[in-house]
Amino acid sequence: MRDIDERGLRAVMDDAVTIATTGTGGVHLSCDVDWIDPQEAPGVGTPVRGGATLREAHLAMEIIHDTGALVAMDLVEINPILDSRNATAELAADLIASAFGRHIL
């Protein structure tokens, strides 16, 4: 999160995408939902204050989609027992949709 705070999400994602796509046949995205702030995603395995905002999370997924390199994805660390009115599960579904090209926001 410090890199995102200091450099901005776009710059951090550009670096990550460059590393992940150089010399590869595609990208498998493994996404722990607990990187998102618990105000946005309360139902996660390890809620930690100060994570990504809803918009940052969607932007990251949109950037991944824009690469055209996404071939597989897993989304983990959702804990329905801690969720509030299914908010985290719905967010997770929306993030998957963003990663595969749907514009949510």
Side-chain angles (χ1 to χ4, degrees):
M1 289 307 302
R2 182 172 177 165
D3 279 348
I4 291 171
D5 289 342
E6 289 178 352
R7 299 175 49 221
L9 183 70
R10 183 66 194 199
V12 171
M13 286 297 298
D14 285 346
D15 288 351
V17 165
T18 297
I19 292 166
T21 58
T22 300
T24 66
V27 172
H28 172 103
L29 173 64
S30 183
C31 182
D32 286 16
V33 181
D34 51 12
W35 80 288
I36 301 168
D37 193 277
Q39 286 188 340
E40 306 284 356
V44 298
T46 309
V48 178
R49 206 174 59 171
T53 66
L54 175 73
R55 186 63 209 127
E56 287 171 329
H58 277 288
L59 178 59
M61 298 302 108
E62 292 168 6
I63 291 169
I64 294 285
H65 173 263
D66 291 347
T67 69
L70 184 63
V71 296
M73 176 179 182
D74 62 69
L75 205 87
V76 298
E77 292 298 323
I78 298 171
N79 185 339
I81 294 169
L82 298 177
D83 209 356
S84 175
R85 298 181 179 217
N86 216 30
T88 306
E90 290 177 13
L91 170 59
D94 286 344
L95 289 175
I96 292 167
S98 285
F100 286 99
R102 183 170 164 211
H103 293 280
I104 303 299
L105 302 175

